[in-house]
Amino acid sequence: MKLSPWEEIVGWLEEIKDMDGNVMVKISGYKVLLPGYMKKKLEKCKGKKIGILRTDIKGREYLLRVENGNNN
């Protein structure tokens, strides 16, 4: 799936795969297609709980956050 503007996915980053210039990530069982430039940031987050928000802001189309603490 692809995120629409102002759609967010939150969960545990389980897997990262290259796909034709993009990156396919598996977050808590859901597969999401993201731009390839996000791979470097995402590799540092493997196994962590993250949130990815797609926006319509030029130059900041995808925002990544890493959850802190032991939230379930």
Side-chain angles (χ1 to χ4, degrees), residues 6-67:
W6 301 109
E7 186 174 16
E8 181 179 35
I9 186 164
V10 177
W12 298 95
L13 181 58
E14 300 169 351
E15 190 176 341
I16 305 167
K17 288 185 181 179
D18 287 316
M19 294 203 61
D20 301 323
N22 292 310
V23 177
M24 178 69 73
V25 294
K26 188 173 179 183
I27 299 173
S28 292
Y30 293 93
K31 292 183 180 179
V32 181
L33 188 64
L34 299 169
Y37 67 82
M38 293 195 66
K39 183 179 180 184
K40 189 173 181 177
K41 289 181 184 180
L42 290 165
E43 285 177 337
K44 297 175 186 176
C45 300
K46 194 159 184 190
K48 297 181 180 178
K49 188 172 184 183
I50 64 169
I52 298 174
L53 173 68
R54 182 170 178 197
T55 75
D56 61 0
I57 303 168
K58 187 174 182 176
R60 298 193 68 193
E61 288 82 5
Y62 290 88
L63 303 178
L64 170 68
R65 76 170 191 273
V66 179
E67 298 281 332

